[in-house]
Every structure is written in C-alpha cells, then in structure tokens.
C-alpha cells in the first residue's frame, strides 16, 4: 500500500479539508496522520466539533519512539474513526501542544518508517503536513511518500506564494523537488488545485507557472467543504465539490499504481 503526503507551500488553501475529503472516499482502508506543526488537531476541533477529548495522537507515539518501542499497531491505538465504518478510515490526531510538535526532531523519520510498514495491513496513509517550509524537520515524511500532493489555491497570490524564493538560493518548492530527486522520486510531486471565490487560474496555467502536474481541481463550494472541515451537516444532493472528489481519488490512485509499477520493473528485471 502507499504513503501520501499532503502540504502547502504558501497560503493555507484547505489542505486538511482536502485530505479528509479524499480519505473518506478512498477505495481502500486509510489512516490520516495530523502532522501539522501549526495546529494541535484541526480534525478534533473541526470535523468532530470538539466532541472528542485529545487523549490519543502523536504525543503518545513520540514518547514511544523515544523509548524505542514505536510499532505499527500503535497507530491504530492512537487513532479514532473518521467515518461510520471504524476500520475503513481513521485519523491520528496531532500533538497535544505546539511546543511538543516543534521539538519532535527525529520522530518524523521513525514515523515515516512505521507508515511504510502499514503495507502489510493493506492500509494507505495520508499525512497532513499543513504548510511545508524550507529545511522542514518533517522532510523525512516527504521523502518516504509514494506521492506528494501540494495543495494550492487557484488565484495569482496563491500561485505566487508557491514559487516565492525563501532566500537568494532556493524556494520551498525547489527544496521539496531537490529532496525527492535525491531519493530517486522525481515524478511523485503533483498539485491539487483548490478554487477560490473568484479570479481562479486554470490547471494548465498553474502547472505552467509552478511545474508539478495538476492532479485535479476542487471547486469553490464552502458549504460542502464545511462538512469536512467543520463537521457541518450536509445538504441535499451532491454538490460540485462532492462530484469532483471521485475523479481526484481516481487520479491519485492511478499515480500510486504508476509508482508501484515503476518499482516492480527493476525488481522483476533483476530476477530474470
């Protein structure tokens, strides 16, 4: 199975909402990991509307890593169900304090290895990184991923923020690209476009400006998005947002299939 990392490089376009929408429509069991350094748990406060205490999550996993006992089964123990089927989609809430998240250090590398080991259980992992910065300590999770999905708003300020240079040498986008190149994964980086209320650029225009292939576009539909981000009640009928999700799920699943086929190629050739 696969590890998919989601994050933004500039403004906050709705990464968590996108992750939840895709995870809840995913055709296989999926576990969402809240690895955002700027928030303790957007899911507990948002989708669950504060109805669940923050008693499980990354804090317990990080302590287990320090003690040398972090194991895959602990991801299930430190997660809660996202949807009506408890074994289909689950979420591991983030750290209980922002200070603990900032001091996680080497935990991210070990967590990446544990997520990869979920393959044996047939579960895919969706990692919500929030905003990715230059020299981000969570870069081992990016390097581990079978797909890296950059969420990007579709307006000019959003696109400009993605390609802005952090210093005279590099931008956050270039940093992510170079790290993926170093681990032999130049083709796993894609963009998920998220429309704003107005003045949206097309997928072709955004891809031309930023480089990574556009996986799909989530339309502007704040009421539909609020069902994921705020736990708001859903309306009648399928919205444009909900109609767009299945095609993006299919595109992402296709990208992961391509990566698996690429990895199988050399292995099968070596056996001949």
């Amino acid at each position: 199975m696969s590890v998919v990392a989601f994050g933004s490089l500039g403004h906050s376009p709705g990464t968590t909402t996108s992750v939840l929408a895709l995870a809840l429509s995913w055709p296989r069991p999926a576990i969402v990991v809240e690895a955002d350094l700027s928030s303790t748990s957007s899911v507990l406060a948002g989708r669950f509307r504060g109805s669940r205490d923050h008693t499980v999550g990354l804090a317990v996993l990080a302590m287990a890593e320090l003690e040398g006992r972090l194991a895959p089964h602990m991801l299930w123990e430190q997660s809660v169900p996202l949807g009506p089927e408890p074994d289909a989609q689950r979420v591991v809430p983030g750290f209980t304090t922002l200070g603990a998240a900032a001091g996680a250090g080497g935990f991210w590398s070990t967590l990446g290895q544990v997520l990869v080991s979920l393959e044996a259980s047939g579960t895919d992992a969706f990692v919500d990184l929030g905003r990715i910065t230059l020299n981000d300590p969570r870069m081992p999770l990016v390097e581990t991923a079978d797909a890296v999905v950059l969420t990007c708003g579709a307006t000019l300020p959003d696109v400009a923020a993605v390609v802005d240079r952090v210093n005279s040498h590099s931008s956050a986008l270039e940093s992510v690209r170079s790290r993926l190149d170093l681990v032999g994964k130049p083709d796993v980086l894609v963009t998920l476009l998220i429309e704003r209320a107005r003045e949206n650029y097309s997928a072709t225009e955004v891809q031309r400006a930023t480089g990574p292939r556009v996986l799909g576009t989530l339309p502007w539909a704040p009421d539909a998005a609020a069902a994921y981000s705020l736990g708001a009640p859903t309306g009648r009928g399928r919205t444009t947002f909900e109609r767009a999700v299945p095609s993006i799920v299919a595109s992402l699943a296709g990208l992961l299939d391509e990566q698996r086929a690429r990895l199988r190629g050399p292995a099968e050739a070596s056996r001949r």
Side-chain angles (χ1 to χ4, degrees), residues 21-149:
L22 297 182
L24 286 165
S25 296
W26 198 243
R28 297 186 291 269
I31 190 164
V32 174
V33 179
E34 286 195 284
D36 189 345
L37 297 182
S38 67
S39 171
T40 52
S41 178
S42 297
V43 176
L44 293 181
R47 180 170 176 80
F48 292 124
R49 304 172 74 88
S51 63
R52 291 179 178 268
D53 293 332
H54 198 160
T55 55
V56 297
L58 291 186
V60 176
L61 298 181
M63 181 59 67
E65 190 269 337
L66 284 175
E67 297 171 353
R69 56 183 182 83
L70 181 59
H73 71 86
M74 298 185 70
L75 288 169
W76 304 106
E77 296 170 358
Q78 297 303 313
S79 67
V80 295
L82 261 180
E85 298 181 29
D87 295 329
Q89 299 95 14
R90 301 182 68 87
V91 59
V92 179
F95 282 92
T96 51
T97 67
L98 296 181
F107 165 68
W108 303 115
S109 179
T110 307
L111 177 62
Q113 297 167 20
V114 171
L115 292 176
V116 169
S117 70
L118 288 178
E119 180 173 3
S121 67
T123 302
D124 293 318
F126 285 14
V127 184
D128 180 1
L129 296 169
R131 185 174 180 180
I132 302 171
T133 60
L134 192 67
N135 301 319
D136 198 300
R138 300 162 300 166
M139 203 58 76
L141 291 174
V142 173
E143 296 172 348
T144 296
D146 300 289
V148 179
V149 181

Side-chain angles (χ1 to χ4, degrees), residues 203-222:
T204 300
E205 291 170 318
V206 172
Q207 183 169 325
R208 187 184 303 125
T210 60
R213 166 164 75 93
V214 174
L215 190 70
T217 301
L218 283 173
W220 173 255

Side-chain angles (χ1 to χ4, degrees), residues 186-270:
D187 302 319
V188 304
L189 186 65
V190 294
T191 298
L192 175 58
L193 204 56
I194 301 172
E195 289 185 343
R196 304 294 199 178
R198 60 182 63 194
E199 298 189 15
N200 292 294
Y201 280 73
S202 69
T204 300
E205 291 170 318
V206 172
Q207 183 169 325
R208 187 184 303 125
T210 60
R213 166 164 75 93
V214 174
L215 190 70
T217 301
L218 283 173
W220 173 255
D223 289 341
Y228 301 99
S229 60
L230 299 174
T234 56
R236 295 179 178 178
R238 297 182 74 199
T239 65
T240 56
F241 185 98
E242 291 164 322
R243 287 196 295 270
V245 169
S247 65
I248 297 171
V249 165
S251 295
L252 179 56
L255 174 64
L256 296 173
D257 288 341
E258 290 173 10
Q259 297 305 317
R260 281 192 287 269
R262 187 175 292 114
L263 290 173
R264 280 199 304 267
E268 292 175 355
S270 66

